[in-house]
Amino acid sequence: MSPQPSAASLATPDEFRAALSQLAAGVALVTVHDTGEDGEGGIGEDAGMTATSFLSVSLEPPLVLISVREDSRMDELLSRIDCWAVSLLGEQHRALASRFAMKGRLSDRLLFADTPHQRGPVSGAPLVTGALATVECRTEQRITAGDHTLLIGRVLEARVPAPDGRPLLYFRGGYRHLA
């Protein structure tokens, strides 16, 4: 019989962060097009966030998972907007990833004005020009997990516009590229 851990033996946030910083992760930009509370009214606004917590869940049906901080703007948007997109970033997108990851950053409207992109045909969300791959999704399930919300999305559209591109990676607290 193995010993049961006690509550006092939980890893601290700093220990957990240090351990997981040893795992290299791809970098993605999660985007959504917000048409407004009533679904009408003008052009609407785009929102985005840099994510390293994006993964494949299932091939049949095609499902992916993203993790967003609870009570963040993206969490609020994705609680009422079902369709969203993910652009898998290449090493040339390092500055873009940094800008969308900053706390207290400029408005997303200004960030997207400087970001070459096109609208996803399914979600209407921005897809980064030159991304290694893009997927457009519809939320299938929301799961509260600690201080984050996990969203499982059904992939409605998947494209690989830069099949020979080199990925942007996040490792040990910084952006990296393959040597």
Side-chain angles (χ1 to χ4, degrees):
M1 188 162 104
S2 62
Q4 295 297 314
S6 68
S9 67
L10 294 177
T12 68
D14 288 340
E15 291 168 338
F16 180 67
R17 185 177 294 114
L20 273 284
S21 74
Q22 302 304 307
L23 178 65
V27 182
L29 185 67
V30 178
T31 57
V32 65
H33 180 70
D34 182 12
T35 57
E37 289 289 341
D38 60 2
E40 299 174 16
I43 298 170
E45 290 213 33
D46 296 321
M49 69 163 225
T50 301
T52 56
S53 53
F54 171 73
L55 59 104
S56 168
V57 173
S58 168
L59 187 59
E60 291 290 331
L63 299 173
V64 295
L65 180 142
I66 59 170
S67 176
V68 298
R69 192 178 68 251
E70 189 176 61
D71 297 326
S72 65
R73 179 165 184 246
M74 188 59 76
D75 186 36
E76 185 276 322
L77 288 169
L78 292 174
S79 72
R80 59 184 174 78
I81 299 171
D82 288 339
C83 287
W84 40 276
V86 178
S87 296
L88 303 182
L89 302 181
E91 60 186 15
Q92 75 276 18
H93 297 117
R94 183 181 204 148
L96 174 70
S98 292
R99 288 195 313 254
F100 276 94
M102 289 181 357
K103 292 179 180 166
R105 65 183 186 239
L106 297 171
S107 76
D108 285 2
R109 182 185 301 259
L110 294 174
L111 290 176
F112 279 113
D114 290 342
T115 302
H117 66 278
Q118 60 279 342
R119 296 244 164 250
V122 175
S123 66
L127 301 173
V128 176
T129 301
L132 302 180
T134 60
V135 293
E136 293 183 85
C137 306
R138 182 185 66 241
T139 300
E140 293 276 310
Q141 191 173 2
R142 290 177 57 90
I143 304 162
T144 300
D147 60 0
H148 277 65
T149 302
L150 306 178
L151 286 100
I152 296 176
R154 180 176 296 255
V155 177
L156 305 173
E157 175 96 12
R159 295 189 179 170
V160 184
D164 297 325
R166 297 173 54 86
L168 179 62
L169 300 175
Y170 192 76
F171 180 67
R172 294 186 178 157
Y175 295 116
R176 313 281 189 214
H177 58 84
L178 295 175

